[in-house]
Amino acid sequence: MSQASIGGLPAQQLWWRVRARNAAGVFGPFSSTRRFTPVTAPTTPTLSSVSVSPTAVVGGAGSTGTVSLTAAAPAGGALVTLTSSNAVATVSPSVTVAAGATSATFAMTTSAVAATTPVTLTATHGGVSRTATLTVNPTGSSGTLPAPSLVSPADDARFNSGQTVVFDWSDVAGSASYIIQVDDQDTFPSPIVNQTISASTYSTNTLPVTRMWWRVRALDASAAAGAWSSARRFEVR
């Protein structure tokens, strides 16, 4: 057989040559060489996910959505269509992920509601759809947010100095952001960490070597604070 198929070659300039061997196992001279360059087939991106942040707002406040692709968008960008299941939350008909990018953001606007209303956001690209949920709360919920439930670290968890500590807690319906406090006293008189963030998680690797406590509370779109969670103890050593 005077041919061969080889896959998995690197995408770079290569050369090839051939020589024959007779029945006695004796090789003849090599042929001349030829140059070629394998080309990697382009990856067609598909829709990976859609998300909103914050995931709950008081009616009239906005939220930011993000669509993500499995690979970089091609030349000309990737058009992702958007739909909302309820008119209390509106989005533009589509968002374009720019060429070479893997994600794009878009704005969601909401209107006042009389009762808590979940809205499903659907993003579609290349025949693939992904969904996210935005909860729209009535104005009367301002300042009455419940305390989050702490998830991790567990009570009395221990970490090594310089180790990243990931704090995680439950989402609070109607929240626009959260305040996390970490202190070396359980009354939190002078917090080592006193951070306002939009996600229900926080990470740090700069905590001192000592025993500490942490707690969280939610803020609504008007920055009215809800109840503090219980405090948990942990230690960096």
Side-chain angles (χ1 to χ4, degrees):
M1 185 176 183
S2 57
Q3 68 177 31
S5 298
I6 303 174
L9 294 174
Q12 65 185 58
Q13 192 174 77
L14 303 172
W15 286 260
W16 70 285
R17 65 180 182 176
V18 180
R19 66 176 176 177
R21 184 177 65 177
N22 64 21
V26 178
F27 285 97
F30 273 110
S31 68
S32 59
T33 60
R34 283 190 176 180
R35 183 176 58 193
F36 69 104
T37 303
V39 177
T40 302
T43 301
T44 301
T46 58
L47 186 62
S48 172
S49 65
V50 61
S51 61
V52 292
S53 180
T55 57
V57 297
V58 173
S63 183
T64 300
T66 302
V67 291
S68 299
L69 305 178
T70 57
L79 185 70
V80 180
T81 59
L82 304 171
T83 58
S84 170
S85 66
N86 194 305
V88 302
T90 58
V91 292
S92 59
S94 64
V95 62
T96 299
V97 181
T102 58
S103 64
T105 60
F106 56 92
M108 294 189 71
T109 59
T110 67
S111 55
V113 293
T116 297
T117 306
V119 179
T120 300
L121 170 69
T122 302
T124 304
H125 172 71
V128 177
S129 295
R130 297 286 185 264
T131 61
T133 299
L134 174 68
T135 302
V136 183
N137 292 296
T139 302
S141 65
S142 297
T144 62
L145 297 178
S149 296
L150 303 185
V151 177
S152 64
D155 205 19
D156 286 326
R158 295 181 178 180
F159 301 91
N160 295 323
S161 177
Q163 181 180 349
T164 297
V165 181
V166 179
F167 299 92
D168 187 24
W169 57 91
S170 64
D171 291 334
V172 174
S175 65
S177 58
Y178 300 90
I179 295 177
I180 178 171
Q181 290 186 341
V182 178
D183 202 342
D184 57 4
Q185 297 183 52
D186 60 5
T187 54
F188 298 88
S190 301
I192 299 166
V193 173
N194 189 24
Q195 189 76 30
T196 301
I197 52 178
S198 59
S200 58
T201 185
Y202 175 77
S203 301
T204 180
N205 62 358
T206 61
L207 293 172
V209 176
T210 187
R211 180 177 294 177
M212 289 165 279
W213 287 259
W214 69 287
R215 64 180 183 177
V216 182
R217 66 176 174 180
L219 304 175
D220 66 18
S222 302
W228 282 109
S229 69
S230 58
R232 278 190 182 176
R233 183 175 59 190
F234 69 101
E235 184 177 357
V236 175
R237 57 182 183 175

